[in-house]
Amino acid sequence: MRRTKIMTDEKREKEYLFKLLKKVDLKLSEINEAIKLKSDEVASMNKHMQDHKTDMDHLEKNNMREAIFNFSLQGEHSVENRKRLIRLRDTAYFGRIDFKENQSDDYKKIYVGVHNFQDTESNANLVYDWRAPISSLFYDFELGEGFYETPTGIIRGNISLKRQFRIRKGELEYMLDTDVTIHDEVLQKELNQASSAKMRNIVATIQKEQNAIIRNEEARHLIIQGVAGSGKTSIALHRIAFLLYRFKETISSEDILIISPNKVFASYISNVLPELGEETVAETSMEEIASEILEYQVNFQTFFQQVAELLEKNDPKLIERIQFKSSNEILIKIDEYINYLENEGFKITDITVKGKPVPAWFIRESFIKYQRMPLLKRFNEVVREIVDNIFIHYRIEIQYKDRTDLHTAIRNMFPSYNPRMLYKGFYEWLGKPELLKTKAGNTYEWSDVYAFIYLKSRLEGLKPDSKVKHLVIDEMQDYSEVQYKVLSTLYPCKKTILGDINQSVNPFSSSNLPIIEKVFSSATTMTMLKSYRSTFEITQFTKRISQKIEVEAIERHGEEPRLILCKNNEEEFSKIKSLITKFEEGDFNSLGIICKTQKQADHLHEALKNSYDINLLNAVSVAFGRGIVITTAHLAKGLEFDKVIVPYCTEKNYRTEPDKQMLYVACTRAMHKLFITHTGKLTQLIAS
């Protein structure tokens, strides 16, 4: 009886899908015809303008150009609609709920998909966008009572059916009825899939706690603390897609900026928003932001280079410099230094201009009068006050050369007008000149860059970027308190800040939640403890590396991670080759060989590249592909692989706190299988 009902239900669902796709095909035909007509019309108008450019007056040309522009816009809109329909043709929807409002007698069938689709004849919604208010019922409730929020109020009712589908290339592969939020079987099927070269959207498997983060409209700044594999980046991107849908009248993809750790990761996540029907958003890095602020006039080390130096040298003096320049202490000291420059650094004396006396007290009062302005900006105001007063009292106009001499005289009373000289002077004032150590070519260390920018902002001001209406900061733990202080001034907009405080690649400059919450005092923090990426066995293994981490492993089982002891370097190399060969013979898509340092990754790539088709990721890489990838833990952050090999896991190679973080990051990249190779004694960081 039950089997008969299932077969009948499946038949009805296939009929619904068939009828829906016929309507989609009809709409696609209409749009294709409309695009062709608009294209032909634009071509015709362009030809007309070319043929009659000499006998058309200015007004006619302007009218024609405006008409061409409007037709082009309509064509672009039609092309976007076509893209949505093609996606709908492939995967029409993934869920259905039958819902009866309390004031109604009938149950309404609500199909939930990536995009909305409306029947042009009846105006009925055949598929609801996953971001629509009513679609939240699918994510948040089991069978029985449920509700959803609309701009006009809460709608309550009853859910009698909850059904999940897998539709690919217009074919219904399977359907499941469930009475829980996102059936475990569907989630397991998705998690057991092999990896892909791009991050996938997760609209079909969004969990209730994830849905709450995505649909949070109230938080001005939302901080997402998520353990490795919790899907925090994906959730943040789905949140952006939701906000673009919810507030489409006031925000567009052009108003959003993502700060990502590197170009590889930016490429990896670039597919998510287009899959959800939104334009890609601009992406930048902390290095690019710094270069723009400094107008490309200052050379500095990158964060990647700083981490590489730490891992290779473990220099206590370098660690001391990084810790100080990343802390709240340097912010306090720079503020004190600015006060010193204002009160004691400005050595004011009496001067004469065109033979007329300008007393020191007047210069001091003029300087104090503009104390709300950045320090170095005040000197122009002081000069203007002097020029105006000389004219008022003596009727003498100060001409260009005398005005220039006056500027020079005022500036000479100050230690320097060059922010770089004043930054150097800061460490001399501090009594610790050794804390400033530039590299060849007068290049700043990475830890100096944002400390210098903060000082420069106090001296010259920092203009906020008003074009950005929502800022996404990924890998939040890798940015220092000093960097957050600058970001808070530069981007006064709303923010989604995400990361994992357990995955810092430089613990000496990292930020924890209390630090970030202090900078963004109005922030709301939401925590994600469940890891979906790795099997239960891999997640349990990674807890041995970082034992303080709270993480809930999802019940998806696989092989125990393998610790492979080798007699010598030759045998370890041979074992790695053997694991690569097995990968090539299997069904998985990606194998990550994750080293501690770039030198180790380069060396291993050089040894393997003639035997295998293998990709090396380094600081200049811009994309992440399938297949075999050799990289560092630093560059692998945020990425995931079906299989992971972590070589050289010896006591000598992995021993410090930064090493521990790197090892944890490397191991948590594995989805299905993890291999640890070592020659000699295994690192103590993997507890017995």
Side-chain angles (χ1 to χ4, degrees), residues 190-373:
E190 293 298 320
L191 296 176
N192 277 315
Q193 287 190 72
S195 65
S196 64
K198 298 280 188 182
M199 181 180 280
R200 294 181 287 227
N201 79 67
I202 59 166
V203 288
T205 56
I206 291 169
Q207 305 295 288
K208 185 175 181 178
E209 66 275 12
Q210 296 173 331
N211 195 43
I213 295 171
I214 290 168
R215 292 175 186 263
N216 186 312
E217 299 175 22
E218 290 75 33
R220 175 164 178 76
H221 306 307
L222 184 67
I223 300 172
I224 307 170
Q225 160 55 36
V227 297
S230 59
K232 52 192 171 290
T233 302
S234 185
I235 293 303
L237 292 171
H238 283 68
R239 170 170 160 74
I240 293 303
F242 171 76
L243 294 174
L244 288 171
Y245 173 88
R246 175 71 180 83
F247 301 104
K248 58 174 76 77
E249 305 302 325
T250 56
I251 189 168
S252 73
S253 55
E254 294 177 354
D255 304 321
I256 295 169
L257 179 66
I258 298 177
I259 300 177
S260 60
N262 53 63
K263 294 294 182 188
V264 173
F265 186 67
S267 167
Y268 177 58
I269 66 174
S270 63
N271 209 44
V272 176
L273 285 170
E275 272 190 11
L276 298 172
E278 299 295 346
E279 296 292 323
T280 54
V281 300
E283 167 274 327
T284 189
S285 67
M286 293 300 282
E287 285 88 350
E288 288 173 0
I289 291 170
S291 292
E292 285 183 24
I293 292 172
L294 300 173
E295 298 176 330
Y296 304 92
Q297 299 297 308
V298 178
N299 297 324
F300 55 80
Q301 177 192 47
T302 66
F303 181 53
F304 182 87
Q305 290 167 335
Q306 182 199 71
V307 172
E309 187 177 356
L310 268 174
L311 292 170
E312 288 164 13
K313 295 181 181 176
N314 195 31
D315 177 3
K317 294 290 185 185
L318 172 61
I319 291 170
E320 181 189 0
R321 292 196 297 274
I322 292 171
Q323 285 179 320
F324 174 66
K325 293 169 188 177
S326 305
S327 67
N328 185 54
E329 184 185 355
I330 194 172
L331 295 172
I332 294 168
K333 291 298 180 186
I334 287 174
D335 288 344
E336 290 176 1
Y337 177 57
I338 294 293
N339 286 334
Y340 160 77
L341 291 175
E342 283 182 313
N343 298 315
E344 299 175 47
F346 195 14
K347 307 291 187 185
I348 302 172
T349 58
D350 296 339
I351 57 171
T352 58
V353 179
K354 298 286 284 185
K356 302 302 178 185
V358 179
W361 64 262
F362 180 81
I363 297 171
R364 167 64 65 186
E365 281 190 1
S366 299
F367 185 68
I368 293 170
K369 181 179 177 181
Y370 296 98
Q371 61 185 347
R372 290 185 177 275
M373 294 181 70

Side-chain angles (χ1 to χ4, degrees), residues 596-597 600 647-656 659 683:
K596 187 182 91 170
T597 68
Q600 290 171 358
Y648 320 130
C649 287
T650 62
E651 195 171 47
K652 183 180 179 183
N653 194 35
Y654 285 99
R655 67 186 192 281
T656 66
D659 296 345
T683 172

Side-chain angles (χ1 to χ4, degrees), residues 445-576:
E445 292 183 321
W446 176 245
S447 56
D448 279 302
V449 177
Y450 277 84
F452 172 61
I453 288 173
Y454 180 70
L455 173 70
K456 195 169 184 292
S457 73
R458 292 298 318 273
L459 293 168
E460 299 178 341
L462 183 62
K463 187 180 178 182
D465 188 339
S466 58
K467 296 191 297 294
V468 177
K469 294 181 182 176
H470 197 105
L471 181 70
V472 180
I473 305 174
D474 204 350
E475 302 296 348
M476 66 183 185
Q477 70 282 353
D478 285 334
Y479 307 126
S480 69
E481 188 165 357
V482 176
Q483 290 171 320
Y484 277 119
K485 188 75 174 175
V486 172
L487 289 177
S488 68
T489 303
L490 187 60
Y491 302 105
C493 58
K494 293 183 176 182
K495 299 174 186 68
T496 299
I497 305 166
L498 60 138
D500 179 11
I501 55 173
N502 305 300
Q503 291 188 67
S504 168
V505 293
N506 179 2
F508 308 116
S509 65
S510 61
S511 291
N512 55 31
L513 278 177
I515 286 174
I516 301 169
E517 288 169 338
K518 185 178 79 174
V519 177
F520 304 106
S521 56
S522 59
T524 299
T525 300
M526 303 184 85
T527 304
M528 301 169 67
L529 295 177
K530 191 174 285 186
S531 177
Y532 298 94
R533 176 186 297 133
S534 306
T535 62
F536 180 86
E537 288 73 17
I538 293 172
T539 302
Q540 292 302 104
F541 177 83
T542 59
K543 287 164 91 170
R544 291 160 57 178
I545 301 168
S546 202
Q547 296 169 26
K548 294 177 182 176
I549 295 175
E550 283 185 65
V551 56
E552 297 172 21
I554 195 161
E555 290 288 331
R556 180 173 70 85
H557 289 280
E559 294 178 12
E560 288 284 348
R562 283 180 57 197
L563 299 170
I564 303 171
L565 171 63
C566 307
K567 294 175 186 174
N568 50 45
N569 293 337
E570 289 75 21
E571 186 183 359
E572 184 169 12
F573 183 63
S574 176
K575 290 284 186 186
I576 291 169

Side-chain angles (χ1 to χ4, degrees), residues 568-591:
N568 50 45
N569 293 337
E570 289 75 21
E571 186 183 359
E572 184 169 12
F573 183 63
S574 176
K575 290 284 186 186
I576 291 169
K577 289 181 74 175
S578 174
L579 290 169
I580 293 172
T581 301
K582 282 185 180 176
F583 164 75
E584 290 187 323
E585 293 169 352
D587 297 326
F588 287 118
N589 293 332
S590 62
L591 168 66

Side-chain angles (χ1 to χ4, degrees), residues 16-31 81 84-89 91-93 109 111-130 132 245:
Y16 183 85
L17 178 61
F18 178 74
K19 288 176 182 175
L20 172 73
L21 293 181
K22 280 188 74 174
K23 291 179 185 292
V24 171
D25 286 339
L26 183 63
K27 190 70 177 171
L28 267 170
S29 297
E30 291 172 3
I31 283 185
N81 279 340
R84 287 189 173 92
L85 288 168
I86 289 169
R87 280 192 286 265
L88 201 67
R89 188 75 187 72
T91 309
Y93 45 81
K109 294 176 185 176
Y111 286 85
V112 182
V114 175
H115 301 304
N116 186 75
F117 184 72
Q118 207 169 39
D119 185 354
T120 48
E121 293 173 10
S122 65
N123 286 331
N125 262 23
L126 302 181
V127 180
Y128 286 85
D129 191 297
W130 67 277
Y245 173 88

Side-chain angles (χ1 to χ4, degrees), residues 96-121:
R96 168 187 161 184
I97 45 174
D98 290 2
F99 181 70
K100 181 172 73 72
E101 293 181 19
N102 284 344
Q103 310 305 320
S104 173
D105 296 326
D106 300 318
Y107 277 93
K108 184 178 180 181
K109 294 176 185 176
I110 298 152
Y111 286 85
V112 182
V114 175
H115 301 304
N116 186 75
F117 184 72
Q118 207 169 39
D119 185 354
T120 48
E121 293 173 10

